[in-house]
Amino acid sequence: YDKSVVITTKKVTFIRECFYHKRISDMIGTKEMRGKQMTEVKILYEDKDIIVVVKPAGMASQEERSVDVDMVSWLKTYLVRQKKVKGMPYIGVIHRLDKPVGGVMVYAKTQQAAAKLSEQVRNNKMTKEYLAVLTGTLPKKEGRLEDMLLSNGKTNRTEVVDAKTSGAQKAVLEYKVKRTKFEEGQQYSLVNVHLITGRRHQIRVQMAHAGAGLWGDTRYNPVFTDKKGWFDLALFAWHLEFDHPVTKKHLAFKVPAGSQITAHFKAGECK
């Protein structure tokens, strides 16, 4: 990828225990940040049209009804504090990552940029790749999975269904096994996943259906469904490519694997 695209990374830290001027709070919908936990977000690239970040695992990628800070609220606060906008900041959500998943994301700073980027997503012109640690064995070392998925918003679950099921959507991904290891009778695989479509919980559901669920996935992986406690989901969005919505320049970003992955495989194995 074009390394010249990546501007020097800026680490911007905000303390959650903050109080904003009422007008700004009303304007951007700022949430009351409780406790003294600090939120750090890496900004990989920014201009007047877009901003590319590394979303931390555990932070929602879009606004949600919660006291926890989400990426959209964080970015609006960042723009106000850096005095980069006048009036209400605009942050357009282009694609999503599940809350437990960290990785590279692009957000639009104008409605025009949002429309152009969303068009790339619809036309499969945006490249999104993930690293995942799986339990079990996939059918092949390298392959393509195609399933029909049906999501239930009430239960927040997605399942593989028959193609004739009403409301089902086609889900497609490609994968390549990079490393495997055995520990205590269990096979673990480090896999690169190229997401073709973007369905709710797609990677988690399709991998589990193929016989190799994600490490730490208590919702879909049978190895973890009966386990008690909290487990970091071993999935990380490490590679993103798209065309700039205004300049048309091709932008590519790759970042080192997150701790959800390096907890199982050495950093040098994850390249």
Side-chain angles (χ1 to χ4, degrees), residues 128-152:
K128 294 177 285 185
E129 291 188 341
Y130 299 72
L131 288 174
V133 177
L134 311 180
T135 62
T137 305
L138 287 167
K140 301 176 181 178
K141 291 287 185 182
E142 186 173 352
R144 181 182 177 97
L145 300 180
E146 296 188 11
D147 297 290
M148 296 301 294
L149 302 186
L150 182 66
S151 294
N152 186 325

PDB file of all heavy atoms in Angstrom, residues 128-152:
ATOM      1  N   LYS A 128     -11.920  -4.403   2.827  1.00  0.00           N
ATOM      2  CA  LYS A 128     -11.894  -4.533   4.284  1.00  0.00           C
ATOM      3  C   LYS A 128     -11.363  -5.920   4.644  1.00  0.00           C
ATOM      4  O   LYS A 128     -11.962  -6.924   4.261  1.00  0.00           O
ATOM      5  CB  LYS A 128     -13.295  -4.325   4.865  1.00  0.00           C
ATOM      6  CG  LYS A 128     -13.842  -2.923   4.689  1.00  0.00           C
ATOM      7  CD  LYS A 128     -15.260  -2.794   5.217  1.00  0.00           C
ATOM      8  CE  LYS A 128     -16.250  -3.439   4.285  1.00  0.00           C
ATOM      9  NZ  LYS A 128     -17.656  -3.228   4.704  1.00  0.00           N
ATOM     10  N   GLU A 129     -10.246  -5.944   5.355  1.00  0.00           N
ATOM     11  CA  GLU A 129      -9.659  -7.213   5.766  1.00  0.00           C
ATOM     12  C   GLU A 129      -9.478  -7.254   7.279  1.00  0.00           C
ATOM     13  O   GLU A 129      -9.160  -6.238   7.901  1.00  0.00           O
ATOM     14  CB  GLU A 129      -8.322  -7.459   5.065  1.00  0.00           C
ATOM     15  CG  GLU A 129      -8.467  -7.722   3.583  1.00  0.00           C
ATOM     16  CD  GLU A 129      -7.167  -8.156   2.935  1.00  0.00           C
ATOM     17  OE1 GLU A 129      -6.096  -7.920   3.521  1.00  0.00           O
ATOM     18  OE2 GLU A 129      -7.222  -8.734   1.834  1.00  0.00           O
ATOM     19  N   TYR A 130      -9.649  -8.441   7.826  1.00  0.00           N
ATOM     20  CA  TYR A 130      -9.585  -8.663   9.262  1.00  0.00           C
ATOM     21  C   TYR A 130      -8.608  -9.783   9.576  1.00  0.00           C
ATOM     22  O   TYR A 130      -8.385 -10.687   8.756  1.00  0.00           O
ATOM     23  CB  TYR A 130     -10.959  -9.086   9.797  1.00  0.00           C
ATOM     24  CG  TYR A 130     -12.060  -8.089   9.616  1.00  0.00           C
ATOM     25  CD1 TYR A 130     -12.603  -7.833   8.357  1.00  0.00           C
ATOM     26  CD2 TYR A 130     -12.599  -7.411  10.705  1.00  0.00           C
ATOM     27  CE1 TYR A 130     -13.635  -6.926   8.184  1.00  0.00           C
ATOM     28  CE2 TYR A 130     -13.638  -6.494  10.544  1.00  0.00           C
ATOM     29  CZ  TYR A 130     -14.144  -6.260   9.286  1.00  0.00           C
ATOM     30  OH  TYR A 130     -15.176  -5.363   9.111  1.00  0.00           O
ATOM     31  N   LEU A 131      -8.061  -9.744  10.787  1.00  0.00           N
ATOM     32  CA  LEU A 131      -7.350 -10.880  11.342  1.00  0.00           C
ATOM     33  C   LEU A 131      -8.252 -11.503  12.396  1.00  0.00           C
ATOM     34  O   LEU A 131      -8.873 -10.797  13.191  1.00  0.00           O
ATOM     35  CB  LEU A 131      -6.024 -10.445  11.973  1.00  0.00           C
ATOM     36  CG  LEU A 131      -4.913 -10.022  11.009  1.00  0.00           C
ATOM     37  CD1 LEU A 131      -3.719  -9.472  11.789  1.00  0.00           C
ATOM     38  CD2 LEU A 131      -4.482 -11.180  10.113  1.00  0.00           C
ATOM     39  N   ALA A 132      -8.316 -12.830  12.394  1.00  0.00           N
ATOM     40  CA  ALA A 132      -9.169 -13.536  13.351  1.00  0.00           C
ATOM     41  C   ALA A 132      -8.430 -14.754  13.882  1.00  0.00           C
ATOM     42  O   ALA A 132      -7.643 -15.380  13.161  1.00  0.00           O
ATOM     43  CB  ALA A 132     -10.475 -13.965  12.682  1.00  0.00           C
ATOM     44  N   VAL A 133      -8.688 -15.080  15.138  1.00  0.00           N
ATOM     45  CA  VAL A 133      -8.186 -16.323  15.725  1.00  0.00           C
ATOM     46  C   VAL A 133      -9.385 -17.238  15.898  1.00  0.00           C
ATOM     47  O   VAL A 133     -10.369 -16.881  16.575  1.00  0.00           O
ATOM     48  CB  VAL A 133      -7.486 -16.085  17.076  1.00  0.00           C
ATOM     49  CG1 VAL A 133      -7.045 -17.416  17.684  1.00  0.00           C
ATOM     50  CG2 VAL A 133      -6.287 -15.168  16.894  1.00  0.00           C
ATOM     51  N   LEU A 134      -9.312 -18.416  15.269  1.00  0.00           N
ATOM     52  CA  LEU A 134     -10.432 -19.346  15.260  1.00  0.00           C
ATOM     53  C   LEU A 134     -10.109 -20.621  16.031  1.00  0.00           C
ATOM     54  O   LEU A 134      -8.952 -21.025  16.135  1.00  0.00           O
ATOM     55  CB  LEU A 134     -10.795 -19.727  13.817  1.00  0.00           C
ATOM     56  CG  LEU A 134     -10.974 -18.593  12.803  1.00  0.00           C
ATOM     57  CD1 LEU A 134     -11.330 -19.178  11.444  1.00  0.00           C
ATOM     58  CD2 LEU A 134     -12.040 -17.617  13.266  1.00  0.00           C
ATOM     59  N   THR A 135     -11.145 -21.240  16.573  1.00  0.00           N
ATOM     60  CA  THR A 135     -11.024 -22.573  17.143  1.00  0.00           C
ATOM     61  C   THR A 135     -11.684 -23.536  16.156  1.00  0.00           C
ATOM     62  O   THR A 135     -12.660 -23.177  15.494  1.00  0.00           O
ATOM     63  CB  THR A 135     -11.736 -22.672  18.504  1.00  0.00           C
ATOM     64  OG1 THR A 135     -13.124 -22.424  18.324  1.00  0.00           O
ATOM     65  CG2 THR A 135     -11.167 -21.643  19.482  1.00  0.00           C
ATOM     66  N   GLY A 136     -11.176 -24.746  16.062  1.00  0.00           N
ATOM     67  CA  GLY A 136     -11.743 -25.679  15.104  1.00  0.00           C
ATOM     68  C   GLY A 136     -10.984 -25.657  13.793  1.00  0.00           C
ATOM     69  O   GLY A 136      -9.910 -25.062  13.671  1.00  0.00           O
ATOM     70  N   THR A 137     -11.562 -26.292  12.773  1.00  0.00           N
ATOM     71  CA  THR A 137     -10.881 -26.463  11.487  1.00  0.00           C
ATOM     72  C   THR A 137     -11.777 -26.008  10.345  1.00  0.00           C
ATOM     73  O   THR A 137     -12.938 -26.433  10.248  1.00  0.00           O
ATOM     74  CB  THR A 137     -10.506 -27.941  11.260  1.00  0.00           C
ATOM     75  OG1 THR A 137      -9.737 -28.414  12.370  1.00  0.00           O
ATOM     76  CG2 THR A 137      -9.691 -28.103   9.980  1.00  0.00           C
ATOM     77  N   LEU A 138     -11.267 -25.145   9.491  1.00  0.00           N
ATOM     78  CA  LEU A 138     -12.002 -24.702   8.311  1.00  0.00           C
ATOM     79  C   LEU A 138     -11.911 -25.761   7.210  1.00  0.00           C
ATOM     80  O   LEU A 138     -10.998 -26.592   7.211  1.00  0.00           O
ATOM     81  CB  LEU A 138     -11.429 -23.380   7.808  1.00  0.00           C
ATOM     82  CG  LEU A 138     -11.753 -22.158   8.674  1.00  0.00           C
ATOM     83  CD1 LEU A 138     -10.889 -20.976   8.267  1.00  0.00           C
ATOM     84  CD2 LEU A 138     -13.230 -21.804   8.577  1.00  0.00           C
ATOM     85  N   PRO A 139     -12.836 -25.748   6.247  1.00  0.00           N
ATOM     86  CA  PRO A 139     -12.848 -26.771   5.185  1.00  0.00           C
ATOM     87  C   PRO A 139     -11.555 -26.826   4.380  1.00  0.00           C
ATOM     88  O   PRO A 139     -11.099 -27.892   3.974  1.00  0.00           O
ATOM     89  CB  PRO A 139     -14.020 -26.350   4.299  1.00  0.00           C
ATOM     90  CG  PRO A 139     -14.890 -25.523   5.178  1.00  0.00           C
ATOM     91  CD  PRO A 139     -13.966 -24.823   6.131  1.00  0.00           C
ATOM     92  N   LYS A 140     -10.942 -25.645   4.121  1.00  0.00           N
ATOM     93  CA  LYS A 140      -9.717 -25.569   3.332  1.00  0.00           C
ATOM     94  C   LYS A 140      -8.771 -24.535   3.948  1.00  0.00           C
ATOM     95  O   LYS A 140      -9.170 -23.748   4.800  1.00  0.00           O
ATOM     96  CB  LYS A 140     -10.027 -25.162   1.884  1.00  0.00           C
ATOM     97  CG  LYS A 140     -10.972 -26.092   1.145  1.00  0.00           C
ATOM     98  CD  LYS A 140     -11.279 -25.540  -0.246  1.00  0.00           C
ATOM     99  CE  LYS A 140     -12.251 -26.440  -0.991  1.00  0.00           C
ATOM    100  NZ  LYS A 140     -12.584 -25.884  -2.341  1.00  0.00           N
ATOM    101  N   LYS A 141      -7.533 -24.539   3.512  1.00  0.00           N
ATOM    102  CA  LYS A 141      -6.570 -23.534   3.969  1.00  0.00           C
ATOM    103  C   LYS A 141      -6.914 -22.149   3.421  1.00  0.00           C
ATOM    104  O   LYS A 141      -6.587 -21.129   4.018  1.00  0.00           O
ATOM    105  CB  LYS A 141      -5.146 -23.913   3.536  1.00  0.00           C
ATOM    106  CG  LYS A 141      -4.573 -25.128   4.242  1.00  0.00           C
ATOM    107  CD  LYS A 141      -4.218 -24.788   5.688  1.00  0.00           C
ATOM    108  CE  LYS A 141      -3.523 -25.940   6.378  1.00  0.00           C
ATOM    109  NZ  LYS A 141      -3.207 -25.630   7.799  1.00  0.00           N
ATOM    110  N   GLU A 142      -7.554 -22.150   2.285  1.00  0.00           N
ATOM    111  CA  GLU A 142      -7.938 -20.896   1.637  1.00  0.00           C
ATOM    112  C   GLU A 142      -9.245 -21.132   0.916  1.00  0.00           C
ATOM    113  O   GLU A 142      -9.418 -22.155   0.238  1.00  0.00           O
ATOM    114  CB  GLU A 142      -6.846 -20.461   0.657  1.00  0.00           C
ATOM    115  CG  GLU A 142      -7.054 -19.120   0.018  1.00  0.00           C
ATOM    116  CD  GLU A 142      -5.847 -18.678  -0.819  1.00  0.00           C
ATOM    117  OE1 GLU A 142      -4.815 -19.368  -0.764  1.00  0.00           O
ATOM    118  OE2 GLU A 142      -5.950 -17.642  -1.506  1.00  0.00           O
ATOM    119  N   GLY A 143     -10.197 -20.209   1.059  1.00  0.00           N
ATOM    120  CA  GLY A 143     -11.479 -20.457   0.421  1.00  0.00           C
ATOM    121  C   GLY A 143     -12.424 -19.279   0.476  1.00  0.00           C
ATOM    122  O   GLY A 143     -12.064 -18.170   0.870  1.00  0.00           O
ATOM    123  N   ARG A 144     -13.645 -19.558   0.089  1.00  0.00           N
ATOM    124  CA  ARG A 144     -14.698 -18.547   0.002  1.00  0.00           C
ATOM    125  C   ARG A 144     -15.958 -19.129   0.659  1.00  0.00           C
ATOM    126  O   ARG A 144     -16.332 -20.273   0.367  1.00  0.00           O
ATOM    127  CB  ARG A 144     -14.964 -18.208  -1.468  1.00  0.00           C
ATOM    128  CG  ARG A 144     -16.031 -17.137  -1.726  1.00  0.00           C
ATOM    129  CD  ARG A 144     -16.191 -16.978  -3.233  1.00  0.00           C
ATOM    130  NE  ARG A 144     -17.244 -16.036  -3.604  1.00  0.00           N
ATOM    131  CZ  ARG A 144     -17.037 -14.759  -3.924  1.00  0.00           C
ATOM    132  NH1 ARG A 144     -15.803 -14.283  -3.923  1.00  0.00           N
ATOM    133  NH2 ARG A 144     -18.040 -13.980  -4.272  1.00  0.00           N
ATOM    134  N   LEU A 145     -16.581 -18.367   1.520  1.00  0.00           N
ATOM    135  CA  LEU A 145     -17.811 -18.800   2.172  1.00  0.00           C
ATOM    136  C   LEU A 145     -18.969 -17.949   1.678  1.00  0.00           C
ATOM    137  O   LEU A 145     -18.887 -16.725   1.675  1.00  0.00           O
ATOM    138  CB  LEU A 145     -17.697 -18.667   3.690  1.00  0.00           C
ATOM    139  CG  LEU A 145     -16.594 -19.478   4.387  1.00  0.00           C
ATOM    140  CD1 LEU A 145     -16.629 -19.226   5.890  1.00  0.00           C
ATOM    141  CD2 LEU A 145     -16.742 -20.969   4.096  1.00  0.00           C
ATOM    142  N   GLU A 146     -20.040 -18.613   1.262  1.00  0.00           N
ATOM    143  CA  GLU A 146     -21.249 -17.933   0.823  1.00  0.00           C
ATOM    144  C   GLU A 146     -22.428 -18.536   1.572  1.00  0.00           C
ATOM    145  O   GLU A 146     -22.670 -19.739   1.499  1.00  0.00           O
ATOM    146  CB  GLU A 146     -21.452 -18.074  -0.690  1.00  0.00           C
ATOM    147  CG  GLU A 146     -20.365 -17.397  -1.521  1.00  0.00           C
ATOM    148  CD  GLU A 146     -20.693 -17.384  -3.014  1.00  0.00           C
ATOM    149  OE1 GLU A 146     -21.861 -17.715  -3.360  1.00  0.00           O
ATOM    150  OE2 GLU A 146     -19.813 -17.043  -3.815  1.00  0.00           O
ATOM    151  N   ASP A 147     -23.154 -17.719   2.296  1.00  0.00           N
ATOM    152  CA  ASP A 147     -24.306 -18.178   3.071  1.00  0.00           C
ATOM    153  C   ASP A 147     -25.419 -17.153   2.974  1.00  0.00           C
ATOM    154  O   ASP A 147     -25.198 -15.997   2.625  1.00  0.00           O
ATOM    155  CB  ASP A 147     -23.927 -18.361   4.543  1.00  0.00           C
ATOM    156  CG  ASP A 147     -22.874 -19.435   4.751  1.00  0.00           C
ATOM    157  OD1 ASP A 147     -23.198 -20.627   4.563  1.00  0.00           O
ATOM    158  OD2 ASP A 147     -21.737 -19.080   5.103  1.00  0.00           O
ATOM    159  N   MET A 148     -26.613 -17.596   3.318  1.00  0.00           N
ATOM    160  CA  MET A 148     -27.745 -16.673   3.469  1.00  0.00           C
ATOM    161  C   MET A 148     -27.941 -16.445   4.967  1.00  0.00           C
ATOM    162  O   MET A 148     -28.070 -17.402   5.744  1.00  0.00           O
ATOM    163  CB  MET A 148     -29.006 -17.267   2.850  1.00  0.00           C
ATOM    164  CG  MET A 148     -28.914 -17.472   1.345  1.00  0.00           C
ATOM    165  SD  MET A 148     -28.597 -15.938   0.410  1.00  0.00           S
ATOM    166  CE  MET A 148     -30.118 -15.034   0.729  1.00  0.00           C
ATOM    167  N   LEU A 149     -27.949 -15.178   5.371  1.00  0.00           N
ATOM    168  CA  LEU A 149     -28.051 -14.836   6.784  1.00  0.00           C
ATOM    169  C   LEU A 149     -29.352 -14.096   7.070  1.00  0.00           C
ATOM    170  O   LEU A 149     -29.822 -13.302   6.257  1.00  0.00           O
ATOM    171  CB  LEU A 149     -26.872 -13.962   7.219  1.00  0.00           C
ATOM    172  CG  LEU A 149     -25.458 -14.517   7.034  1.00  0.00           C
ATOM    173  CD1 LEU A 149     -24.442 -13.567   7.660  1.00  0.00           C
ATOM    174  CD2 LEU A 149     -25.333 -15.897   7.635  1.00  0.00           C
ATOM    175  N   LEU A 150     -29.889 -14.359   8.254  1.00  0.00           N
ATOM    176  CA  LEU A 150     -31.082 -13.661   8.715  1.00  0.00           C
ATOM    177  C   LEU A 150     -30.806 -13.103  10.103  1.00  0.00           C
ATOM    178  O   LEU A 150     -30.420 -13.843  11.019  1.00  0.00           O
ATOM    179  CB  LEU A 150     -32.280 -14.614   8.775  1.00  0.00           C
ATOM    180  CG  LEU A 150     -33.619 -13.976   9.206  1.00  0.00           C
ATOM    181  CD1 LEU A 150     -34.094 -12.968   8.169  1.00  0.00           C
ATOM    182  CD2 LEU A 150     -34.676 -15.056   9.424  1.00  0.00           C
ATOM    183  N   SER A 151     -30.965 -11.789  10.260  1.00  0.00           N
ATOM    184  CA  SER A 151     -30.704 -11.139  11.541  1.00  0.00           C
ATOM    185  C   SER A 151     -32.000 -10.865  12.283  1.00  0.00           C
ATOM    186  O   SER A 151     -33.013 -10.499  11.676  1.00  0.00           O
ATOM    187  CB  SER A 151     -29.956  -9.812  11.325  1.00  0.00           C
ATOM    188  OG  SER A 151     -28.670 -10.046  10.809  1.00  0.00           O
ATOM    189  N   ASN A 152     -31.936 -11.037  13.603  1.00  0.00           N
ATOM    190  CA  ASN A 152     -33.080 -10.754  14.469  1.00  0.00           C
ATOM    191  C   ASN A 152     -32.699  -9.600  15.371  1.00  0.00           C
ATOM    192  O   ASN A 152     -31.878  -9.748  16.281  1.00  0.00           O
ATOM    193  CB  ASN A 152     -33.440 -11.997  15.295  1.00  0.00           C
ATOM    194  CG  ASN A 152     -34.707 -11.814  16.098  1.00  0.00           C
ATOM    195  OD1 ASN A 152     -35.005 -10.720  16.598  1.00  0.00           O
ATOM    196  ND2 ASN A 152     -35.485 -12.876  16.234  1.00  0.00           N
TER     197      ASN A 152
END
